[in-house]
Amino acid sequence: MARVTVQYYAQLREQAGSSAEQTETAAGDLAALYDELARRHGFSLPREALKVAVNAQFAEWSRPPRAGDVIVFIPPVAGG
Amino acid sequence: MKRFALAAAPIDVLAWQVRLQRPGCGGVCSFEGRVRDLNEGRAVDGLDYEAYPELALAEGERILDEAIARFGVQEVLCVHRTGSLVVGELAIWIGVAAAHRDEAFRACRYVIDEIKRRVPIWKKEHYVDGATEWVACHHAHDDGSRAPHGREPHAFVPDYSRQWRLREVGEEGQGKLRSARVLVIGAGGLGAPAISYLAGAGVGTLGIVDGDRLEASNLHRQVIYRAVDVGQPKVALARAHVAALNPSVRVITYERPLDAAAIAGVFADYDLVLECTDDLHSRYLCNDAALATGTPLVLASVYQYEGQLQVVSGAATGPCLRCLWPEEPAQALAGTCQASGVLGPVPGVLGTLQAAEALKWLLGLSSPAQGALVLINLLDLTMQRLPLDSAACRARGGCAQVARRHLGRVDAIDLDVARLDALLAGGAALVDVREPDEVAAVPLPRAAHAIPVGALLAGTLPATDGALVLVCASGRRSGLAARALRERGIEAFSLVGGLAGWRAEADGGWR
């Protein structure tokens, strides 16, 4: 299990009801972590529509989450 | 009888007071404007008033109607003199009758202020020293039009001293700004502050693109517009705003969104572009045009309390928008202000950052936003910078190659009004993808299959072997639907600019 901080933007923040949370995860990669969180919060956005960054760098979905990581899920936004 | 009048002879105040009487009115307030013996330090011994009667009467009546609606007063009357008046003579009389005094005072104040601002009346002052001078009573109109007999306004000399003093700007930097040409696409929540700051900074030429008319729902965030402007084309209003703020800036307006066929040609005329629309398709089109022409592009978008900012250098090697999201996301996946709301200052902050990035670029200052996605959260007051690499585009031949491929493809989907007839004559079917209430309110200029976009994408297609030409109000929904249908192998086109563009083309001017 790894304890990580997850940050949410835009629609994800709205659906999660907060900008950030700490969570324990056994997910093998960031894709599995997102699926886990999507089930928990009822996220409507498919993973393919998002970008993910870890510790202020964009990351691959296949990267495993490590203890202490700050993970950000970013949806595209269109407003202007 | 009209409420607002022009009078060539002395005003009979008593007669007007009688007209004003109402049994239910406990508060009656009147204002008298009289000829003063001094103007801007010069002794005056009389003056002539001259009105543009048709416009003055219509505008005066409108102001009085506004005062009644706005303050709930029972009656408002006004009479304005024309002709020759001596010092002390009554030039304007305003009377307001209301149930209570408070609204009577406020309505009276409103009427005189608005008349001074809006009603076209000029006065020729006779000075004691024998000289005369025409002075516009109303303030200079926002559209820059001049009083027909008015004195020429003093040539405005911009004062950039506050930014000159910055070591990085100086005379040389100011010269760079003066010779710069910047295009702002979208004069909305992001564009409004961006346009203001760029004009204020003395950017020599500003291009402004917007096909929309101002709506009341825009005003909470689009700070260059006013309530009385609702219904007007934004480009015209934005032009007037720039003219009022800094008359030395040259403004070029584009009244319709740039389509794929035209966009690269327009970008080539500018040093830098700001993408300020709420439209993902426009963002991708601008990204591709920026790469194709090597033009730097400052992108921003907002959602509720957050924004994203990205500076694309225009260098063929990127990084660019497609390095981040290679394909345009489906509209349903992208958060919009229309559906989810936005706090007014959020686009204000992001649009201001776009202006700052633009000025930094023009002045040659380094920017950490280049080659990165910047996430701004105004709930938490946090800013995160995520460096981008161009691996995704590199794998597909590099950003510029990818951009050119997309520009070519989009061109084939977006159909210009000029090509519509030829396509329909060749057997294509016209499909109105607007909702039934929109179709009922404003029908298309010619017969079409009415299939709302939702039904179309759910599989309802007209019985035809030919191509489909989709039309919506602005070209946005039809563009998305046409792209979605193309992915299913259906030959679909989207009419650029939608019904608005079509009618503009047909009328040589919309409405």
Side-chain angles (χ1 to χ4, degrees):
Chain A
M1 295 288 273
R3 188 164 183 78
V4 297
T5 300
V6 186
Q7 294 180 350
Y8 302 115
Y9 278 86
Q11 300 100 307
L12 299 180
R13 171 185 52 72
E14 211 182 353
Q15 289 166 354
S18 71
S19 300
E21 66 176 333
Q22 295 218 321
T23 188
E24 295 273 347
T25 182
D29 61 18
L30 295 171
L33 172 63
Y34 179 74
D35 294 343
E36 188 180 306
L37 295 167
R39 277 193 300 277
R40 187 187 304 167
H41 296 298
F43 291 151
S44 59
L45 289 175
R47 186 165 51 76
E48 299 70 40
L50 308 174
K51 296 296 287 185
V52 61
V54 180
N55 304 331
Q57 301 289 330
F58 283 108
E60 297 294 330
W61 287 103
S62 57
R63 181 194 190 281
R66 299 182 192 112
D69 278 349
V70 177
I71 299 161
V72 189
F73 295 111
I74 307 152
V77 303
Chain B
M1 213 171 153
K2 295 282 188 189
R3 296 189 167 96
F4 183 89
L6 295 170
I11 297 168
D12 179 359
V13 173
L14 196 62
W16 284 90
Q17 282 171 339
V18 169
R19 260 191 78 189
L20 196 60
Q21 280 179 16
R22 296 285 182 288
C25 293
V28 174
C29 182
S30 66
F31 172 81
E32 294 183 356
R34 289 174 180 276
V35 177
R36 199 178 38 203
D37 66 352
L38 208 64
N39 184 44
E40 292 180 0
R42 293 179 79 177
V44 173
D45 65 0
L47 47 73
D48 297 315
Y49 280 106
E50 184 172 304
Y52 176 6
E54 293 81 4
L55 203 58
L57 289 170
E59 193 66 21
E61 204 67 27
R62 193 171 299 134
I63 290 168
L64 303 191
D65 288 345
E66 285 168 14
I68 289 171
R70 202 168 165 143
F71 300 100
V73 297
Q74 303 293 309
E75 184 62 290
V76 183
L77 301 171
C78 176
V79 54
H80 199 299
R81 272 300 304 277
T82 55
S84 298
L85 282 77
V86 296
V87 169
E89 202 172 350
L90 189 58
I92 182 171
W93 180 88
I94 299 165
V96 181
H100 305 287
R101 66 182 180 280
D102 190 41
E103 57 264 32
F105 275 114
R106 287 163 61 205
C108 200
R109 176 71 201 237
Y110 175 80
V111 170
I112 184 63
D113 288 348
E114 291 301 302
I115 284 175
K116 293 286 281 183
R117 203 169 68 78
R118 288 157 53 187
V119 176
I121 294 175
W122 297 268
K123 60 184 177 187
K124 185 182 193 180
E125 296 189 328
H126 300 268
Y127 302 106
V128 174
D129 60 15
T132 61
E133 193 163 356
W134 280 102
V135 181
C137 300
H138 55 296
H139 301 308
H141 275 304
D142 291 351
D143 62 2
S145 67
R146 285 174 187 170
H149 308 288
R151 64 178 166 188
E152 293 292 305
H154 294 297
F156 172 76
V157 181
D159 179 351
Y160 302 115
S161 57
R162 294 301 186 277
Q163 72 190 25
W164 252 353
R165 283 182 198 149
L166 295 168
R167 195 180 319 134
E168 296 78 8
V169 181
E171 200 167 337
E172 192 193 334
Q174 196 61 52
K176 287 179 188 165
L177 297 182
R178 190 168 45 246
S179 58
R181 300 171 58 91
V182 176
L183 181 66
V184 179
I185 300 182
L190 295 165
I195 288 165
S196 290
Y197 281 113
L198 294 174
V203 166
T205 302
L206 269 183
I208 303 174
V209 184
D210 203 305
D212 292 342
R213 286 169 178 267
L214 185 68
E215 294 175 19
S217 65
N218 300 150
L219 292 170
H220 88 298
R221 65 192 186 285
Q222 301 182 14
V223 294
I224 61 177
Y225 304 122
R226 307 169 305 170
V228 294
D229 298 332
V230 168
Q232 302 294 314
K234 286 188 184 176
V235 284
L237 297 169
R239 174 196 285 279
H241 172 76
V242 173
L245 170 64
N246 188 347
S248 72
V249 174
R250 176 166 170 251
V251 179
I252 300 168
T253 55
Y254 303 81
E255 289 157 19
R256 269 193 271 167
L258 303 176
D259 62 30
I263 193 166
V266 175
F267 272 38
D269 278 344
Y270 289 89
D271 300 316
L272 182 140
V273 178
L274 275 63
E275 209 292 332
C276 300
T277 71
D278 57 357
D279 181 5
L280 275 176
H281 178 53
S282 168
R283 221 157 273 157
Y284 276 83
L285 198 55
C286 286
N287 177 78
D288 296 339
L291 269 298
T293 57
T295 311
L297 172 70
V298 185
L299 295 158
S301 55
V302 295
Y303 182 85
Q304 294 190 336
Y305 306 97
E306 297 164 38
Q308 300 183 0
L309 178 74
Q310 187 183 354
V311 181
V312 174
S313 72
T317 51
C320 74
L321 181 62
R322 291 188 188 276
C323 299
L324 190 55
W325 282 288
E327 295 299 328
E328 185 181 331
Q331 198 80 358
L333 295 178
T336 64
C337 300
Q338 222 167 349
S340 314
V342 65
L343 198 66
V346 175
V349 169
L350 269 292
T352 302
L353 286 173
Q354 284 182 286
E357 287 304 313
L359 293 176
K360 282 160 63 183
W361 181 282
L362 298 171
L363 291 166
L365 307 180
S366 73
S367 170
Q370 276 172 41
L373 178 70
V374 181
L375 302 175
I376 291 143
N377 180 335
L378 292 178
L379 275 181
D380 299 354
L381 278 180
T382 55
M383 196 186 258
Q384 261 200 77
R385 182 182 168 275
L386 301 168
L388 284 168
D389 71 42
S390 37
C393 282
R394 213 160 39 237
R396 301 190 295 158
C399 298
Q401 277 298 328
V402 172
R404 281 196 199 96
R405 271 205 301 275
H406 277 281
L407 268 185
R409 201 183 56 149
V410 172
D411 188 20
I413 292 178
D414 286 345
L415 180 73
D416 199 76
V417 181
R419 284 167 54 208
L420 178 64
D421 284 342
L423 210 67
L424 294 180
L430 189 64
V431 183
D432 188 343
V433 302
R434 297 175 301 157
E435 300 302 314
D437 58 330
E438 294 175 87
V439 176
V442 190
L444 287 194
R446 56 196 292 173
H449 301 272
I451 308 175
V453 68
L456 188 70
L457 295 182
T460 308
L461 295 172
T464 175
D465 297 330
L468 306 182
V469 179
L470 311 185
V471 187
C472 69
S474 69
R476 186 182 306 176
R477 279 172 290 173
S478 60
L480 292 166
R483 270 178 284 284
L485 292 180
R486 287 277 177 119
E487 278 167 24
R488 297 177 203 172
I490 299 164
E491 192 186 7
F493 298 87
S494 161
L495 189 70
V496 172
L499 180 55
W502 191 355
R503 287 181 54 165
E505 190 79 9
D507 304 347
W510 159 261
R511 268 185 263 175

